[in-house]
């Protein structure tokens, strides 16, 4: 029998070495391939650099068109989305220097309302091009200037009549006739009324950055200054006759006047406090101050007190010009109160629905 020949030790060693080397090489190759695969998979999608991500910014073009002629005035380009109507007005002013921002009125539609300065451009955009209609509002003045001018005139005009200038009254007649105490009291009350208005304009009321046409200030000054001249001329005239019921009529009317002035002031302070604190989500509520309890009955108690002041002044002086002025003021303030009451009904319906606008039951 033939025996199977076993390879010699050196030959077997060579074979094992050759076989082991082949296994080692294939194991290293597979391990390298596996590591490379894991590296590629762990890398994932290549992220763009931040510079490329934010490189595209959308700008708007605002076309300014005349509301009457429908002709294009200019195009304000490269308007960022965060810009407001006020920013557009400033850019428009640079292109057309004759129209400063407060004089520019912009509308989204020809018959639509004027856009507020705080409105953002992005909220108006239906595309990258926005068309706005331009209206020249005329020369404008600030609200503080408006009220200071309107109230300073009556204060000074009344004092000119009170000292009885020789160009207004006859000096001989002025020296002969004795001044009734109600003349001095009327001057005090009239000056107190307008001094309160001036101080509240400076320190209580907070006006927005809005403006009003100069013609409105001229009309307001003509009304107040003209009536003040008429009122002061009659009350300070040397032949002025005191009220029919004498001291009692004057005293009670003066007391009512002072109470209405105090009430008007405290109401204005309460409204200003609500505006400054930012609490506009609820209707102003009465406080411990009794003058603010009128909020329980009417939505515009400041107009109620203002009307009461002029009615009291009419009873105290008993003159026709004051009566006519008080009558016109009551009508005007009732219209303002109705307008505000409608706004309050939209914003604070549950709290205001049972209140009157200015005078309980009547208005």
């Amino acid at each position: 029998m033939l025996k199977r020949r076993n390879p010699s030790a050196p030959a077997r060693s060579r074979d094992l070495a050759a076989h082991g080397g082949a296994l080692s090489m294939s194991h290293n190759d597979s391990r390298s391939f596996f590591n490379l695969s894991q590296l590629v998979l762990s890398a994932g999608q290549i992220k763009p650099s931040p510079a490329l991500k934010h490189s595209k910014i959308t700008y708007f073009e605002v076309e300014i068109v005349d509301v009457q002629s429908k002709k294009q005035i200019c195009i304000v380009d490269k308007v960022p989305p965060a810009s407001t109507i006020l920013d557009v007005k400033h850019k428009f002013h640079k292109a057309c220097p004759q129209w400063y921002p407060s004089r520019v009125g912009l509308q989204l539609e020809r018959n639509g309302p004027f856009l507020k300065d705080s409105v953002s451009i992005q909220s108006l955009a239906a595309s990258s091009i926005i068309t706005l209609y331009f209206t020249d509002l005329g020369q404008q003045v600030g609200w503080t200037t408006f009220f200071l001018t309107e109230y300073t005139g009556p204060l000074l005009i009344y004092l000119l009549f009170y000292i009885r200038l020789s160009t207004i009254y006859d000096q001989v007649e002025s020296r002969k006739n004795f001044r009734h105490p109600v003349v001095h009291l009327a001057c005090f009350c009239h000056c107190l009324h307008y001094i309160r208005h001036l101080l509240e304009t400076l320190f209580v009321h907070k006006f927005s950055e809005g403006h009003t046409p100069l013609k409105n200030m001229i009309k307001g000054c003509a009304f107040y200054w003209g009536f003040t001249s008429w009122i002061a001329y009659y009350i300070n005239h040397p032949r002025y006759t005191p009220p029919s019921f004498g001291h009692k009529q004057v005293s009670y009317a003066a007391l009512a006047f002072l109470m209405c002035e105090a009430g008007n002031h405290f109401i204005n302070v309460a409204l200003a406090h609500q505006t400054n604190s930012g609490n506009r989500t609820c209707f102003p509520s009465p406080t411990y101050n009794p003058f603010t309890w009128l909020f329980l009955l009417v939505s515009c108690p400041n107009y109620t007190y203002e009307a009461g002041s002029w009615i009291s002044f009419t009873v105290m002086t008993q003159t026709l010009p004051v009566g006519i002025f008080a009558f016109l003021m009551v009508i005007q303030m009732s219209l303002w109160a109705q307008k505000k009451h409608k706004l309050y009904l939209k914003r604070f319906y549950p709290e205001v629905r049972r209140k009157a606008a200015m005078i309980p039951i009547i208005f």
Side-chain angles (χ1 to χ4, degrees):
M1 293 179 62
L2 293 176
K3 293 183 179 180
R4 185 176 179 178
R5 185 179 176 180
N6 291 329
S8 64
R12 186 166 52 188
S13 300
R14 283 195 304 268
D15 292 340
L16 288 173
H19 182 68
L23 287 175
S24 175
M25 288 181 60
S26 77
H27 178 70
N28 290 337
D29 290 342
S30 62
R31 185 173 182 181
S32 300
F33 178 77
F34 175 78
N35 291 336
L36 180 62
S37 302
Q38 290 295 108
L39 179 64
V40 172
L41 290 175
S42 63
Q45 187 178 1
I46 300 177
K47 295 182 180 180
S49 63
L52 292 175
K53 183 178 180 180
H54 299 285
S55 60
K56 287 188 177 182
I57 300 177
T58 304
Y59 289 100
F60 295 101
E61 287 187 359
V62 180
E63 180 188 22
I64 309 294
V65 178
D66 186 79
V67 71
Q68 298 294 336
S69 62
K70 298 182 182 179
K71 293 182 179 179
Q72 184 188 95
I73 300 176
C74 73
I75 293 180
V76 181
D77 57 352
K78 293 186 178 180
V79 179
S83 298
T84 61
I85 290 293
L86 183 60
D87 298 328
V88 174
K89 288 182 179 181
H90 283 292
K91 290 178 177 291
F92 179 57
H93 174 57
K94 290 181 180 180
C96 304
Q98 68 270 28
W99 291 308
Y100 49 90
S102 62
R103 187 168 182 164
V104 176
L106 296 177
Q107 302 162 276
L108 192 61
E109 299 175 357
R110 291 189 64 194
N111 298 324
F114 290 109
L115 298 171
K116 294 182 178 180
D117 291 344
S118 59
V119 174
S120 65
I121 293 297
Q122 195 169 11
S123 64
L124 305 174
S127 64
S128 60
I129 300 176
I130 305 171
T131 301
L132 298 178
Y133 294 94
F134 161 74
T135 301
D136 183 8
L137 300 178
Q139 192 170 356
Q140 304 286 300
V141 293
W143 284 110
T144 303
T145 304
F146 176 90
F147 288 113
L148 290 179
T149 306
E150 193 174 64
Y151 296 142
T152 303
L155 179 64
L156 299 178
I157 290 171
Y158 196 98
L159 292 175
L160 291 177
F161 284 91
Y162 177 73
I163 63 178
R164 290 183 175 177
L165 295 176
S166 58
T167 56
I168 301 174
Y169 303 113
D170 181 68
Q171 288 298 309
V172 177
E173 192 175 11
S174 299
R175 290 169 187 168
K176 286 182 181 179
N177 293 345
F178 171 74
R179 290 198 188 192
H180 194 276
V182 71
V183 176
H184 304 291
L185 182 61
C187 180
F188 170 78
C189 291
H190 191 276
C191 292
L192 176 66
H193 178 79
Y194 284 102
I195 288 174
R196 178 184 64 80
H197 273 304
L198 290 172
L199 293 177
E200 287 178 353
T201 301
L202 293 174
F203 303 110
V204 177
H205 298 301
K206 299 297 181 183
F207 301 104
S208 62
E209 297 300 325
H211 298 75
T212 185
L214 178 63
K215 61 182 180 181
N216 288 348
M217 188 179 76
I218 294 174
K219 288 190 292 185
C221 290
F223 178 78
Y224 279 97
W225 295 14
F227 262 104
T228 299
S229 302
W230 192 22
I231 291 169
Y233 177 80
Y234 272 84
I235 296 177
N236 296 288
H237 198 280
R239 297 184 182 180
Y240 169 75
T241 55
S244 304
F245 296 97
H247 180 71
K248 285 186 177 181
Q249 178 178 343
V250 173
S251 299
Y252 289 137
L255 180 61
F257 177 87
L258 294 176
M259 290 181 65
C260 289
E261 287 294 303
N264 201 340
H265 172 70
F266 287 120
I267 291 296
N268 288 332
V269 170
L271 293 173
H273 177 72
Q274 183 197 27
T275 303
N276 295 339
S277 61
N279 185 18
R280 298 186 180 183
T281 58
C282 59
F283 185 76
S285 58
T287 63
Y288 63 89
N289 189 335
F291 289 103
T292 63
W293 294 351
L294 199 56
F295 273 123
L296 297 172
L297 301 176
V298 296
S299 59
C300 302
N302 52 331
Y303 294 143
T304 308
Y305 283 123
E306 184 79 9
S309 294
W310 286 112
I311 293 173
S312 303
F313 194 76
T314 303
V315 175
M316 182 177 65
T317 58
Q318 195 175 310
T319 53
L320 180 63
V322 182
I324 295 175
F325 180 75
F327 176 72
L328 295 177
M329 289 295 290
V330 169
I331 292 176
Q332 180 62 73
M333 285 183 290
S334 66
L335 295 176
W336 289 340
Q338 287 288 341
K339 186 177 179 179
K340 277 193 173 182
H341 188 68
K342 290 180 180 178
L343 294 176
Y344 288 151
L345 284 174
K346 293 180 180 179
R347 295 174 57 188
F348 318 112
Y349 176 73
E351 302 170 80
V352 185
R353 64 187 179 91
R354 293 186 179 180
K355 301 179 190 293
M358 189 178 85
I359 300 177
I361 301 174
I362 299 176
F363 295 106

